Amino acid sequence: MEPQPPHEALSLVLSYLNLLELLSMKEVCRSLRFTVDDDLLLWLDIEIKSPLNLRINNDILLDITSKAQGRLRSLALINCVGITDDGLQRVIQDNLLINKLSVPACTRLTPDGIVRVVKKLTGGSNKHNLRYLRLCGIPNLTKEHLQVLNSCLLQHKSATSSDQSRKHSTIVDYNKQRAQSNNEVEANDNHIDVEICPKCENVSLVYDCPKESCVKKKNENPLRECRGCCICIPRCEGCGECTDQAEDEVQETVCSDVLCLNCWLNLPKCNLCNKPYCPRHADIYGATVTASTGFICDVCMFEYQGI
């Protein structure tokens, strides 16, 4: 029997599939493999995340991005520990139209390599392309690196418009950036997600506090505002508000993350130790059940099995 081309309606479905699903569709049959490979629109925005992130190396990344034929618009490498500066350079060299680049927690990338990539994407005739850069988790970033990156990304904007339009991270950004998702890069106007913490002066994610009392304090005395990175100012993993251990606002969780009292009360608790998982770990450990049903956390389960 002669192979038949896929139904025309399938082209509408393919555009909604993520990278893992697209690669799986290619293995169904020969006609589908040709259909997926030949559709340029499917490969213009590439996001590589779990579980593919641990399998991706430089050669595989180059093969995937080559399907865009040099027209790649956005590239998100979420915790891709197998990607090096050389591999990213090869991809950028063939795709100078990228306007969004996200490489959070790609620990084998170096700040100098990122600077070379950004200069490539913003130099010459490419200076209007790159608009968003996400670097959370890149080790050894310094103030000097950040200054160079800001200079490259702002060179096609006027200084006044960039300063006025720049907004500090809010609590919405806190939860999204902690999840290291590239899908929300346009949730704020920051062209780079990291900045210099006003407390420790290290390059990190910096957040504003949404607590009403802190907002009022910021308006009355900006020098006392609780704006800073998570190391300098502990924040609730649920709502992002700053927590004060001296006032007993911090509540215990199974995963040892910080929760305020309000968030702690609204989360389902372990039936044995009466501790919840924070929202970030609830899905991982299957603790999203209702409070009436409850669950048994992995710590109690381990202790029970050891008896």
Side-chain angles (χ1 to χ4, degrees):
M1 181 181 296
E2 291 291 333
Q4 299 295 321
H7 194 278
E8 294 180 357
L10 190 61
S11 60
L12 301 177
V13 177
L14 292 176
S15 61
Y16 290 94
L17 302 182
N18 58 37
L19 181 60
L20 178 59
E21 293 166 339
L22 281 177
L23 297 177
S24 300
M25 290 291 287
K26 291 179 56 178
E27 303 299 323
V28 175
C29 63
R30 182 182 303 175
S31 59
L32 266 178
R33 181 166 67 250
F34 293 152
T35 299
V36 173
D37 284 340
D38 294 341
D39 192 343
L40 178 64
L41 297 179
L42 298 177
W43 304 99
L44 296 182
D45 301 284
I46 294 178
E47 180 183 19
I48 300 177
K49 56 185 179 180
S50 179
L52 284 179
N53 57 338
L54 299 180
R55 310 177 194 176
I56 295 294
N57 56 31
N58 293 337
D59 294 332
I60 296 176
L61 178 63
L62 185 63
D63 179 64
I64 292 175
T65 55
S66 65
K67 300 182 187 302
Q69 301 178 17
R71 302 180 186 178
L72 191 64
R73 297 180 303 196
S74 66
L75 177 63
L77 306 176
I78 314 299
N79 197 21
C80 294
V81 295
I83 303 301
T84 65
D85 290 340
D86 180 64
L88 186 59
Q89 288 276 358
R90 290 160 61 190
V91 171
I92 298 302
Q93 182 66 37
D94 297 332
N95 296 275
L96 296 177
L97 299 178
I98 291 178
N99 55 48
K100 301 175 187 176
L101 179 62
S102 180
V103 288
C106 293
T107 53
R108 294 186 66 185
L109 295 178
T110 66
D112 291 336
I114 296 295
V115 169
R116 288 194 295 269
V117 164
V118 172
K119 285 184 176 180
K120 190 71 176 179
L121 290 173
T122 57
S125 59
N126 304 312
K127 62 182 180 179
H128 294 282
N129 291 333
L130 187 62
R131 295 184 290 117
Y132 295 99
L133 185 62
R134 299 299 178 254
L135 304 175
C136 174
I138 298 296
N140 302 320
L141 271 173
T142 64
K143 297 180 182 179
E144 290 73 20
H145 292 124
L146 188 60
Q147 290 173 355
V148 173
L149 294 173
N150 275 312
S151 176
C152 291
L153 290 174
L154 292 177
Q155 60 180 311
H156 64 282
K157 299 179 181 179
S158 64
T160 55
S161 62
S162 63
D163 291 339
Q164 293 174 355
S165 64
R166 182 171 176 81
K167 298 179 182 179
H168 295 313
S169 303
T170 63
I171 183 53
V172 175
D173 299 322
Y174 173 81
N175 290 320
K176 292 173 181 176
Q177 289 174 322
R178 289 284 283 178
Q180 295 181 343
S181 172
N182 186 59
N183 294 328
E184 311 294 344
V185 292
E186 291 183 303
N188 57 72
D189 293 334
N190 294 356
H191 49 274
I192 300 180
D193 57 340
V194 294
E195 54 186 298
I196 299 174
C197 174
K199 305 294 185 182
C200 63
E201 297 188 350
N202 291 324
V203 178
S204 181
L205 294 177
V206 178
Y207 309 99
D208 284 324
C209 185
K211 188 184 298 186
E212 292 183 5
S213 59
C214 295
V215 173
K216 182 179 180 181
K217 180 172 62 177
K218 174 183 176 181
N219 295 332
E220 294 176 351
N221 187 356
L223 296 178
R224 296 182 58 193
E225 64 174 312
C226 56
R227 183 172 186 274
C229 65
C230 293
I231 297 178
C232 296
I233 301 178
R235 297 187 182 279
C236 172
E237 197 64 40
C239 64
E241 293 183 353
C242 65
T243 55
D244 189 352
Q245 297 184 6
E247 297 179 4
D248 296 328
E249 293 181 355
V250 179
Q251 304 299 318
E252 292 185 353
T253 62
V254 179
C255 49
S256 300
D257 282 327
V258 175
L259 283 179
C260 66
L261 179 60
N262 290 334
C263 291
W264 188 89
L265 292 173
N266 293 324
L267 290 173
K269 314 295 190 301
C270 171
N271 291 334
L272 297 181
C273 66
N274 196 38
K275 295 180 182 178
Y277 285 105
C278 74
R280 191 161 56 97
H281 291 101
D283 292 333
I284 300 176
Y285 294 102
T288 55
V289 293
T290 61
S292 59
T293 305
F295 64 94
I296 298 179
C297 68
D298 59 330
V299 176
C300 293
M301 184 66 70
F302 178 79
E303 293 179 352
Y304 177 79
Q305 292 175 349
I307 297 177

